[in-house]
Each structure stands twice: as structure tokens, then as C-alpha cells.
Amino acid sequence: MKLKNVFAMFLTTCSLFATGCSSSTTKGGDVLENIISSKKLVVGTEATYVPFEYTDTNGNIIGYDVEVVKLVEEKIESKYNIDLTVEWKDMSFDGLVGALQTNKVNLVAAAMTITEERAAEVHFSDSYFEAATAVLKKKGNTNITDMDSLKTSKCGAQLGTVQADYITADGWNKSNMTVTSVADLSLALQAGTIDALVVETPVANAIKAKYNEFELVSGIDFNDSANYGLASQKTGSDSFIALINEVLSEAKTSGKLDEIYTNVVNAASAQ
């Protein structure tokens, strides 16, 4: 190999290394510092989960999580004297953790249940909402009455959720359906493609309000309690999560979170 070719390869290698380091430095580091310097907060969600995140008639993402993030936005703006732009990215729920890990978003606000498995991959805030699992079926379906009959029925749940883990566990119907959109699952239940929709109670209530032919199944207890958390990168987000926890604590104490939830549920029911 000629010497000039060796030297050219050396320069190319150095250039690639430097570029790689520069890219890593830009995307890494302290999350809050990056948000402040860019004056931009990028939030990932899955906008079919009424009343937490969904789209209005103009295509805007609205809901409880959006209002909670507005509180975070206001805190950052007032504390650091900046005008902050918030960009929402709508994606599949099962892709949200990966979006954080690849720095496509700074924050996930998607009614995400805090679990040990997820906490190993992302940094969660304190809980800002608590919900339990519920089951929806069509009115007139007398086959689903308890947990045993539910397990032999064809169920649907949103891909990547705790409920999807439930219905794909051993002892459940092997033909159960997990898809990315709760809206698609609602249509599947309406069409009879599935017998039951397994979802968290607030979302079940919102779906039931939209579809008069659905009803909640009483007497089925999953003995669970889902605590939702906002999530950021596993590393470099300590100061950002601390700020979020401060916002949540203030909003809980003042009753603001309860007020927001009531208003959002009423607005969703009116649609």
C-alpha cells in the first residue's frame, strides 16, 4: 500500500471519529441544558389514548398528558426566562422507549405505566396518575363473566402496554390481538373481530361513552394499579426529572392535576 493512501485513510478515520464524537456530544449531555439552549422540547406520544392523548378535528394533539406537559413548559419558561417551543411526535406506543434511547425525543408523555422493566431503560418522573385495568365487551355478550371466561375469549390490547402483557401470558387465548392503536381495537370490538378489549379504566370509560353498544365487565379484578410517569433519557436527565417532579408536586398540592383531569374528561365526553 502506498504511503499517501495510508495517510489518506488516517485523515478519513480521524474525520469520522471527530464527526462521531461531535454528534454524540450534541445529542448527549444534560437533557435540561439541551432543552434550554435549543429552546425546544420534543415530546413523544401515541395519540389514540382518550382522554390522555388524542387528536382534535384539526389534527392537534390534545388531552390530559398534553395539559400536564404545558405545566412543565410554563415552569421552564418562567425559571429560565425563555420562550419554549414544544414539538409533539405521534408514534406507536411500543416505539416510545426506543425514541428516547435514540434521542428522537426529550420526553415521553403517553400514559406510560411505571414498571421495573421500563425503569431500567428510561428515567421516570414521580407518578402523576393512577389507573386500574378494565374490560370492555359488547352488550349482550353473556359469555364473559369472570377471569376464567375472559382468558378463553379472544381479547385485544394495545401493543407494548401492561395489558398486552396480560393477554399474551400463559393460560390466555393464543389468538389474542395486540395492535398499536386503541382506536383500531375499538373498531375490532365493534366488528366482532375480538370479544373483549382490555385497557385501563379511564380509557375504557372514554371508549364506552363513544360506543353505546359497549359495556364494562364487572367482577373482573386484575389486582393492579398503574402509576403513570413522564419519562426521559436514562442518563443526563436528573435535573430535568427533578424539575418535572417539582411541577407535579405543586400541581398535586394545589389540586391543579385533578382540575385538569376533570376538564379534559368533560371535553372528551362532549366530542
Side-chain angles (χ1 to χ4, degrees):
M1 183 179 292
K2 295 182 179 179
L3 182 60
K4 65 178 181 179
N5 290 339
V6 173
F7 183 68
M9 288 180 63
F10 173 76
L11 289 177
T12 301
T13 302
C14 289
S15 175
L16 288 172
F17 180 77
T19 301
C21 289
S22 176
S23 174
S24 175
T25 302
T26 301
K27 292 182 179 180
D30 187 87
V31 175
L32 182 57
E33 287 181 3
N34 290 338
I35 292 168
I36 295 166
S37 63
S38 66
K39 299 181 181 179
K40 186 175 183 179
L41 171 61
V42 184
V43 188
T45 196
E46 194 283 315
T48 67
Y49 213 61
V50 184
F52 295 96
E53 42 269 328
Y54 61 104
T55 53
D56 62 15
T57 54
N58 296 318
N60 300 309
I61 299 175
I62 59 175
Y64 182 68
D65 282 341
V66 176
E67 296 304 314
V68 172
V69 171
K70 284 181 182 177
L71 299 179
V72 176
E73 174 189 359
E74 291 167 2
K75 172 66 77 172
I76 293 174
E77 288 185 330
S78 63
K79 187 171 184 177
Y80 298 99
N81 194 28
I82 61 172
D83 291 325
L84 189 67
T85 298
V86 179
E87 177 185 342
W88 286 83
K89 290 191 175 183
D90 187 10
M91 61 189 74
S92 64
F93 187 85
D94 61 323
L96 289 169
V97 170
L100 275 177
Q101 293 174 329
T102 54
N103 298 294
K104 291 182 174 66
V105 299
N106 309 116
L107 183 69
V108 164
M112 182 173 280
T113 301
I114 301 170
T115 66
E116 289 185 9
E117 293 78 11
R118 288 173 181 156
E121 299 180 302
V122 303
H123 192 171
F124 276 113
S125 71
D126 293 339
S127 173
Y128 64 94
F129 192 87
E130 185 177 347
T133 297
V135 179
L136 280 172
K137 67 176 181 178
K138 275 182 129 179
K139 291 178 180 177
N141 180 342
T142 59
N143 296 323
I144 302 175
T145 57
D146 55 18
M147 185 64 80
D148 289 339
S149 57
L150 179 65
K151 286 185 175 182
T152 58
S153 301
K154 185 173 182 180
C155 300
Q158 187 181 35
L159 187 67
T161 63
V162 171
Q163 288 68 40
D165 292 339
Y166 289 156
I167 71 167
T168 56
D170 291 341
W172 287 75
N173 191 323
K174 296 301 181 184
S175 62
N176 284 347
M177 177 189 297
T178 58
V179 299
T180 58
S181 170
V182 172
D184 289 343
L185 289 167
S186 299
L187 293 175
L189 181 59
Q190 186 180 43
T193 307
I194 57 176
D195 303 311
L197 172 52
V198 183
V199 69
E200 283 157 341
T201 301
V203 182
N205 287 329
I207 295 170
K208 183 168 67 73
K210 182 177 180 180
Y211 295 87
N212 292 328
E213 66 265 45
F214 295 171
E215 64 181 359
L216 287 165
V217 183
S218 60
I220 297 181
D221 189 356
F222 283 81
N223 294 314
D224 67 346
S225 181
N227 288 291
Y228 297 164
L230 301 177
S232 189
Q233 276 78 3
K234 184 64 178 175
T235 59
S237 64
D238 287 356
S239 57
F240 185 36
I241 293 297
L243 181 144
I244 291 172
N245 286 340
E246 181 183 347
V247 170
L248 295 178
S249 177
E250 292 170 355
K252 288 175 186 176
T253 301
S254 68
K256 186 66 175 178
L257 285 185
D258 292 337
E259 178 188 339
I260 289 172
Y261 183 73
T262 299
N263 291 339
V264 165
V265 169
N266 291 339
S269 300
Q271 285 199 343

